[in-house]
Amino acid sequence: MGKTIHWKFTVILLIVGFMVAVQFNSMQKPEERDTRDIWAIRHELSTEKQYHSELLTEIRELDQTISTYKSLNETNAGKALSETVDNLYKQAGMTTISGPGIVLNVRPSAESVAFGVPITGISPDLLTRFVNELNRFKGISLEIDGKRFTTLSSIRDINGVTSVNGLHISTPPFTIKIITPTMEDSEKLYNFLSASTIRDDFYLDNLLLVIGKPEATIEIRGYKERFENQFLKEIPKGE
C-alpha cells in the first residue's frame, strides 16, 4: 500500500514539474507580437498592391507580345522580333535615352572647404543608401558620374575608391542624372528628395547634395559594357 502511494506521488510530482517547466519556458520566450500601428500595416499593404499591379502590367505586355507574334506572318515576325529586342535593350539600359528628369550635384560642403578638410570621395554605403531611396520610384533611369546604373550594376569599394560597374567615381564635385517617365514624376521626385533625410547623410560626410529643378529634357548615355550570355545558345539555321 505504501509503495503504491509513493509511486502515485512520484508521477504527480513529475507532471507538476513538467507543467512548471513549460510555463517558465513560455515566460522566458514569449511569442512575438506585431506591434505595428494601423498606418504601418496600410503602408505595407499599399506597397504590396503596387507590386501586384506592376506584375499584372508586365503580364499584359507579355501576352500582347505573344498575340502579336501569333498574328504575324514570317516576314513581319522578324520585324516584330527586332522591335522586341530593341525594347529589351532600352530596358537593360544599353541605349542612350532622353526625357524629363532632374540633375543632382554632389560637391564638398562650404564648411569643409573653409576649414581645409581633405576632400574625399563618396562612400559606398552612402551611395547605396541614396540609390535605395531612389528605388522608391519606379521606371526611373539613373546615371552616376557619367556611368549608367542598371539592375545589374554594383557599387563597390575598389582599393579604397567607390566604384560603379567597376569604374571609379570621381572625387566631388560630380553630377547624378535621373530620368523619370513623366514631368509630373520629376516634380514628385524633386519634392521627395528635397524633404528626404538623405541630404543630412551627405552633410555628415562633408558633402552637399544640390537638387536641380525638374527639366523637360535630360540625356543619359547607355551602358557601355557588354552583357555576358552564360545560358542561351543560338540554334543553327535549319534546325
Side-chain angles (χ1 to χ4, degrees):
M1 184 70 178
K3 292 182 178 180
T4 303
I5 296 174
H6 179 73
W7 179 81
K8 291 181 179 180
F9 185 71
T10 302
V11 172
I12 293 173
L13 287 179
L14 287 174
I15 295 174
V16 172
F18 176 76
M19 295 178 64
V20 171
V22 171
Q23 179 68 20
F24 178 78
N25 186 61
S26 63
M27 292 177 62
Q28 293 296 319
K29 299 180 180 179
E31 295 183 1
E32 294 184 1
R33 299 182 59 186
D34 193 342
T35 57
R36 295 174 298 174
D37 58 20
I38 186 64
W39 291 109
I41 297 175
R42 286 170 63 91
H43 176 72
E44 184 174 348
L45 177 61
S46 176
T47 302
E48 293 299 328
K49 291 179 66 175
Q50 184 178 356
Y51 290 153
H52 182 256
S53 177
E54 292 172 358
L55 289 174
L56 290 178
T57 301
E58 293 180 4
I59 292 173
R60 282 194 293 267
E61 291 177 352
L62 293 175
D63 288 339
Q64 184 178 0
T65 301
I66 293 174
S67 299
T68 301
Y69 286 152
K70 289 181 178 180
S71 62
L72 295 176
N73 54 37
E74 293 184 1
T75 303
N76 294 330
K79 181 180 179 181
L81 181 60
S82 178
E83 293 177 352
T84 301
V85 172
D86 291 340
N87 289 332
L88 291 176
Y89 268 107
K90 291 180 181 179
Q91 293 178 15
M94 298 291 289
T95 58
T96 299
I97 61 173
S98 60
I102 60 177
V103 178
L104 311 176
N105 287 286
V106 179
R107 64 191 188 198
S109 64
E111 291 82 0
S112 63
V113 175
F115 289 103
V117 177
I119 301 174
T120 58
I122 186 172
S123 67
D125 291 339
L126 178 57
L127 188 57
T128 300
R129 288 202 304 273
F130 172 73
V131 172
N132 289 337
E133 287 287 301
L134 294 180
N135 285 337
R136 297 170 182 263
F137 292 81
K138 302 300 180 181
I140 66 173
S141 299
L142 178 62
E143 179 186 276
I144 303 174
D145 189 30
K147 301 157 185 64
R148 185 68 177 270
F149 192 91
T150 69
T151 54
L152 299 178
S153 297
S154 60
I155 300 174
R156 293 193 177 97
D157 185 321
I158 300 179
N159 296 326
V161 180
T162 302
S163 303
V164 172
N165 301 329
L167 303 175
H168 290 176
I169 297 294
S170 303
T171 301
F174 63 85
T175 60
I176 299 175
K177 296 181 181 180
I178 309 171
I179 290 181
T180 60
T182 64
M183 191 66 179
E184 182 180 358
D185 292 325
S186 296
E187 295 283 352
K188 292 180 179 178
L189 179 59
Y190 172 80
N191 294 331
F192 171 77
L193 291 176
S194 298
S196 174
T197 58
I198 192 65
R199 301 175 70 185
D200 297 332
D201 295 334
F202 274 81
Y203 190 75
L204 290 175
D205 281 4
N206 296 319
L207 297 173
L208 285 181
L209 180 65
V210 183
I211 307 170
K213 293 286 187 179
E215 301 179 23
T217 304
I218 292 176
E219 183 177 278
I220 289 181
R221 290 176 290 181
Y223 185 75
K224 296 181 181 180
E225 303 297 326
R226 293 182 59 86
F227 290 110
E228 294 184 1
N229 184 10
Q230 299 179 356
F231 306 103
L232 297 179
K233 295 182 179 180
E234 183 179 0
I235 299 178
K237 294 182 179 180
E239 294 188 5

